[in-house]
Amino acid sequence: MSKFRGFIFDLDGVITDTAEYHYLGWKKLADEENMEFDREFNEKFRGVSRMECLDLLLEANDRKVTPEERKELAERKNNYYQEYLKNISKDNLLDGIEEILNNLKDKGYKLAIASASKNTSIVVGKLDIKDMFDTISDGHSVKKSKPAPDLFLYTAENLNLKPEECVVFEDAAAGVDAAIAANMIAVGIGPKKRVGHAHYQFDSVKEIKLGKIIKK
Ligand code: B16
Ligand code: MG
């Protein structure tokens, strides 16, 4: 058994790819509001909370809004996003993730999800994976979002584990920063320019080599 006892998974970009639906939701809102928004800008939204994404969009477009308008814009985007979520199913699990989860579970490790999304329970329900996890933390769990370590620390506490016993899988730079700040081992999924600062980096979920992480 390795020194690790728990594995914490980010949701969007690690377990499933909902980034496209987030993009479509933001794009619809941006078009309606005559704001500039494209896929490249959407990359900045990876792992970032809904309100922070909206603020980035407003700032880039030099738009000043009242607190009420801000709330309405975020709600509108979320309604569009939830419409897209109706289409997802088990088929939307990223290639290789089920094998990794089953493998770790068989070896007796604890498993958790820690996502910035307030829609985590809807997505997890659609993917039909809830039973695989010992605990699930989401955008409602803590006040300070990634890159703050809070969500991962909260998750470790719920697993009854010390931070140094946990490994985090993340696709966002802010998520890798959060895992490192929490004193956990960070596994970055994606290009080096995005997650190269993690302890381990793999280009995609399919390429993850668990043996490299779980040494004796
Ligand atoms: P919601 P993760 C994140 O999920 C997404 O990567 C990010 O693009 C999104 O803005 C955030 O969730 C909040 O999502 O609007 O559903 O609350 O990568 O932390 O699983
Ligand atoms: Mg993510």
Side-chain angles (χ1 to χ4, degrees):
M1 192 82 175
S2 76
K3 61 181 173 170
F4 305 120
R5 294 183 56 207
F7 286 78
I8 302 175
F9 293 81
D10 173 55
L11 183 61
D12 173 30
V14 173
I15 293 178
T16 186
D17 197 3
T18 34
E20 179 64 14
Y21 299 119
H22 279 296
Y23 165 73
L24 293 171
W26 286 119
K27 181 69 184 153
K28 196 162 177 195
L29 179 80
D31 286 351
E32 285 169 355
E33 294 294 320
N34 288 315
M35 291 192 282
E36 298 271 346
F37 182 69
D38 57 20
R39 285 180 197 279
E40 197 190 326
F41 199 77
N42 188 56
E43 277 300 303
K44 294 189 201 300
F45 290 3
R46 221 171 251 276
V48 175
S49 75
R50 192 183 314 159
M51 281 307 186
E52 284 169 304
C53 293
L54 176 60
D55 289 343
L56 288 172
L57 179 66
L58 293 171
E59 207 184 297
N61 283 276
D62 248 333
R63 271 279 295 269
K64 303 270 177 292
V65 293
T66 64
E68 292 73 30
E69 284 166 337
R70 185 169 171 260
K71 194 166 164 258
E72 187 278 322
L73 290 168
E75 267 172 23
R76 206 186 323 157
K77 182 269 168 177
N78 194 48
N79 290 337
Y80 297 148
Y81 177 59
Q82 289 188 345
E83 272 301 309
Y84 295 118
L85 286 185
K86 287 186 181 157
N87 302 323
I88 73 166
S89 69
K90 241 184 161 20
D91 293 346
N92 291 76
L93 284 168
L94 279 173
D95 247 13
I97 194 67
E98 259 192 309
E99 290 80 349
I100 290 174
L101 294 171
N102 286 326
N103 189 337
L104 291 169
K105 218 170 167 55
D106 288 348
K107 290 191 166 81
Y109 293 106
K110 290 185 178 174
L111 301 181
I113 290 177
S115 165
S117 174
K118 292 188 169 164
N119 290 294
T120 296
S121 64
I122 300 179
V123 177
V124 167
K126 286 276 188 186
L127 297 173
D128 195 18
I129 50 168
K130 187 169 184 280
D131 295 347
M132 309 251 356
F133 297 93
D134 297 283
T135 190
I136 295 177
S137 325
D138 63 16
H140 299 282
S141 303
V142 296
K143 282 208 192 83
K144 275 165 93 185
S145 45
K146 304 166 188 177
D150 303 35
L151 187 68
F152 293 132
L153 293 174
Y154 172 89
T155 307
E157 228 173 274
N158 283 340
L159 289 175
N160 253 313
L161 296 179
K162 295 186 200 123
E164 57 271 26
E165 294 175 318
C166 299
V167 176
V168 172
F169 290 85
E170 255 294 346
D171 70 306
V176 168
D177 292 339
I180 293 171
N183 198 24
M184 297 177 182
I185 292 297
V187 182
I189 313 295
K192 281 204 180 76
K193 68 173 189 326
R194 190 169 80 214
V195 292
H197 57 308
H199 297 96
Y200 300 91
Q201 177 268 341
F202 299 98
D203 290 341
S204 69
V205 172
K206 237 169 85 180
E207 275 142 303
I208 294 174
K209 304 259 179 306
L210 278 180
K212 269 196 173 179
I213 305 162
I214 317 171
K215 297 172 214 129
K216 288 144 278 160

